[in-house]
Amino acid sequence: MHFASDNSGPVHPEVLTALAEANQGYQMAYGADTLMNEVRDQVRGIFEAPGAAVYLVATGTAANSLALATLSQPWETVFCSPVAHIHEDECNAPEFYSGAKLTLVPGGDKMSPEALRLSIEGEETRGVHGPQRGPVSITQVTERGSVYTLCELQALCRVAKDYDLPVHMDGARFTNALVALNCSPAEMTWKAGVDAVSFGGTKNGLMGVEAVVFFDESKAWEFELRRKRGAHLFSKHRFLSAQMAAYLKDDLWLRSARQANANCAQLANGLRAAGATFLHEPQANMIFASFPRSLHRKLHDAGAVYHLWGDTLEGTDEDEMLACRFVCDWSNPPEQIEQFLSLL
Ligand SMILES: *Cc1c(COP(=O)(O)O)cnc(C)c1O
């Protein structure tokens, strides 16, 4: 019963098979492999963006940092949520790669257009002395498991466009959001006003690949240079390409995300019936819930693995409500979900 994170699970067997197949013979290095040509076309196809620039890197931190560096200047700010992964979980890599600073838009999990506008208005008030306005970064699925609706995305992008600022989407869980909204990748990105997306794969069954997609092709060469300078141009690149090709083949990306979201919905229903309260309504594959220490202890003793969120099991007040996080992926065995539900 392992629900700690969606990168704790195994690599999808279809991906491992594709890696073994890619391990035949010779291929040009550094992204000149024939598979990458297919991947580029496939990604352009699913995004309905024939001119998009498509690159692969091995971590989400690299994808976000290199994308933001390409969209910003060192004297600019990147607007994001206070709980954004680029702020809380990337050890300042976005600042390191871009030289820009992050400006936290007051609020919680989701950014609101009003708060974003106020934050943008608050910059560029000190002429040459202050930071200049830079890109807006939106996380979809958010770090708390919420999904921005298309209207919400459009509203945020409209605010950015009012100031001529580019929009980046951290899509580490892009497909979980996509299947939750039941929309197209184009609708969730460039049609809403997103300029570049980190299109996640690792948390949805890959061994370690994220794509960076720029809908404005003129960014391509700069990104390539930044990726190399940032030590993220893989020489045996075919093994990145092979993973992404397998991901998009036969809808593996969609199948995996649907399964992950369905697993999460099952857990959420069980938790709800057991009286848990949700800190954020689960919409994709993550749950933030709160329930008494006694139930945590029972789950823990039976072998369930998940993170407590700012709380600890130690303590004697068995009725105290402790917050926690559950994350599902495509791989959660049904019998383990059953076992978890029966414990509840
Ligand atoms: C996991 C995650 C990433 C990528 O993290 P890496 O550990 O660098 O692969 C980026 N953004 C969000 C929201 C994430 O959850």
Side-chain angles (χ1 to χ4, degrees):
M1 293 182 288
H2 195 110
F3 307 110
S5 187
D6 40 2
N7 49 17
S8 316
V11 175
H12 197 285
E14 290 174 35
V15 176
L16 277 184
T17 303
L19 280 168
E21 279 167 10
N23 196 34
Q24 305 289 323
Y26 296 82
Q27 276 289 340
M28 299 305 274
Y30 299 115
D33 50 281
T34 49
L35 262 175
M36 186 58 203
N37 291 332
E38 288 172 31
V39 165
R40 199 175 291 110
D41 287 345
Q42 281 174 304
V43 172
R44 286 171 172 169
I46 64 163
F47 279 95
E48 304 168 60
V54 181
Y55 298 101
L56 303 181
V57 293
T59 71
T61 300
N64 287 341
S65 302
L66 293 170
L68 287 168
T70 305
L71 294 176
S72 65
Q73 297 291 339
W75 44 86
E76 291 179 349
T77 64
V78 176
F79 297 94
C80 65
S81 153
V83 299
H85 198 270
I86 58 170
H87 172 56
E88 293 203 309
D89 294 299
E90 300 189 357
C91 200
N92 295 2
E95 291 94 327
F96 173 71
Y97 278 99
S98 67
K101 77 160 188 167
L102 304 185
T103 292
L104 306 182
V105 176
D109 172 34
K110 278 185 180 177
M111 250 190 288
S112 79
E114 297 75 25
L116 175 61
R117 188 179 294 279
L118 279 176
S119 284
I120 294 173
E121 284 286 332
E123 298 294 358
E124 283 189 32
T125 55
R126 295 168 296 282
V128 71
H129 304 286
Q132 308 297 300
R133 297 161 179 160
V136 176
S137 183
I138 304 171
T139 312
Q140 177 79 319
V141 175
T142 71
E143 287 77 2
R144 296 293 179 267
S146 311
V147 177
Y148 287 98
T149 65
L150 293 184
C151 283
E152 288 171 332
L153 289 176
Q154 290 157 4
L156 288 172
C157 292
R158 261 197 308 276
V159 173
K161 297 304 156 195
D162 281 348
Y163 300 88
D164 218 13
L165 305 177
V167 177
H168 163 255
M169 177 178 280
D170 175 352
R173 299 187 176 87
F174 185 93
T175 314
N176 302 94
L178 188 79
V179 301
L181 290 179
N182 197 18
C183 68
S184 73
E187 285 169 328
M188 210 169 81
T189 55
W190 63 267
K191 285 187 178 172
V194 172
D195 299 283
V197 57
S198 304
F199 174 57
T202 309
K203 289 187 173 136
N204 196 25
L206 298 189
M207 183 180 283
V209 172
E210 320 274 309
V212 179
V213 183
F214 287 93
F215 300 108
D216 172 4
E217 219 181 350
S218 71
K219 297 290 180 195
W221 182 236
E222 180 180 338
F223 184 86
E224 285 215 39
L225 295 171
R226 287 187 179 279
R227 181 176 61 167
K228 176 66 187 182
R229 181 174 181 266
H232 251 275
L233 173 58
F234 275 57
S235 90
K236 278 204 162 117
H237 186 284
R238 67 166 125 166
F239 297 105
L240 300 194
S241 308
Q243 292 181 60
M244 187 51 72
Y247 193 51
L248 300 178
K249 191 173 164 224
D250 301 330
D251 290 342
L252 176 62
W253 59 305
L254 298 169
R255 283 186 275 133
S256 296
R258 284 194 191 108
Q259 187 63 54
N261 289 9
N263 292 348
C264 178
Q266 263 192 295
L267 293 197
N269 287 339
L271 287 165
R272 203 187 312 273
T277 55
F278 296 104
L279 311 178
H280 301 271
E281 190 54 34
Q283 291 182 284
N285 65 326
M286 282 199 285
I287 298 170
F288 288 80
S290 184
F291 47 85
R293 175 176 279 112
S294 53
L295 181 52
H296 283 289
R297 237 192 256 295
K298 183 173 173 187
L299 293 170
H300 185 260
D301 291 347
V305 181
Y306 56 90
H307 287 296
L308 288 180
W309 210 252
D311 285 319
T312 145
L313 255 197
E314 278 141 52
T316 48
D317 181 356
E318 290 303 300
D319 297 328
E320 192 190 349
M321 302 288 274
L322 306 180
C324 63
R325 184 187 83 162
F326 296 89
V327 193
C328 293
D329 76 353
W330 62 277
S331 71
N332 308 115
E335 61 279 10
Q336 292 185 14
I337 292 180
E338 282 308 317
Q339 188 191 350
F340 183 84
L341 294 177
S342 64
L343 283 166
L344 290 178

